[in-house]
Amino acid sequence: MRSDLVRRAQSGDGEAFETLIRAAYDRLYALAERILRDRYAAEDAVQEAVVRSWRDIRGLRDPDRFEAWLYRLVVNASRDHSRREHRALRDTAVLPPDLHAAGDEYARLVEHDALEGAFLTLSADHRVVLLLTHYAGYSAPEVATILSVPTGTVQSRLHYAMRAMRAALASPPGVPATTTGAVR
């Protein structure tokens, strides 16, 4: 059914295209928001990707790869937006948490903040690979196809992203994480 909608959209059917975008929009937005960490920037990136997809849909060779193609457009639009904005992380004083019981809501909030902080230390390329593998559930070869890079590059980025996340989570609050070797 979706391939039929893609073919109809490729022939200029706006309703078919709208149906496809409505079905994928929430996932596209979630991906862009996780890459950019800003909901307004994510909306802009998704909008840019949707416009690009409408403009370029006739060039899509395999209608079955429509969703992966859309992911690639959102990733590229997010990267473009990130480059344009040159967003800098703000340094804030971090106080060491006073953790309570393991099931405590405060402890969960502290863990969430630690993960968020570690995630923000990653480059956009590393965030994209982590999101596509762990959030969207794609395999390394599928991510490689989406990003138009070799599978080895995806595996390398995933390795270094996970290493950087571990280092950031292991370092004491307020102390920048250091890793051995360059993060690629």
Side-chain angles (χ1 to χ4, degrees):
M1 175 69 176
R2 187 181 342 196
S3 295
D4 181 48
L5 285 173
V6 174
R7 285 187 193 92
R8 286 177 35 207
Q10 286 178 312
S11 67
D13 184 340
E15 287 182 29
F17 181 75
E18 184 178 345
T19 301
L20 290 165
I21 295 302
R22 282 185 191 272
Y25 187 86
D26 290 340
R27 291 186 307 277
L28 299 174
Y29 174 79
L31 177 63
E33 185 181 28
R34 283 169 176 77
I35 293 169
L36 294 168
R37 312 311 295 172
D38 178 327
R39 63 184 174 157
Y40 300 113
E43 288 173 2
D44 289 346
V46 172
Q47 185 65 34
E48 186 177 323
V50 168
V51 170
R52 285 182 190 172
S53 66
W54 176 247
R55 183 189 66 209
D56 299 340
I57 195 165
R58 286 178 181 85
L60 179 63
R61 286 180 254 160
D62 185 359
D64 293 329
R65 301 292 302 154
F66 177 75
E67 190 169 322
W69 179 68
L70 276 178
Y71 272 117
R72 182 182 319 154
L73 291 175
V74 168
V75 166
N76 290 339
S78 297
R79 284 179 178 161
D80 292 346
H81 192 277
S82 182
R83 280 187 211 115
R84 281 191 305 267
E85 294 298 317
H86 292 91
R87 295 182 184 266
L89 294 176
R90 295 184 184 118
D91 289 356
T92 57
V94 178
L95 301 174
D98 180 21
L99 296 178
H100 299 288
D104 188 4
E105 188 65 29
Y106 175 74
R108 283 189 31 207
L109 180 62
V110 169
E111 288 174 4
H112 178 271
D113 286 348
L115 281 171
E116 177 80 10
F119 191 72
L120 289 173
T121 65
L122 300 177
S123 70
D125 287 337
H126 289 136
R127 279 187 255 162
V128 166
V129 169
L130 274 177
L131 290 170
L132 288 175
T133 55
H134 294 291
Y135 175 75
Y138 286 105
S139 67
E142 290 170 326
V143 173
T145 300
I146 291 169
L147 299 178
S148 298
V149 298
T151 302
T153 300
V154 170
Q155 292 168 334
S156 174
R157 287 179 185 171
L158 187 58
H159 167 77
Y160 285 106
M162 294 300 291
R163 189 165 112 181
M165 288 286 290
R166 280 189 212 99
L169 291 171
S171 67
V175 177
T178 58
T179 57
T180 308
V183 177
R184 298 174 196 343

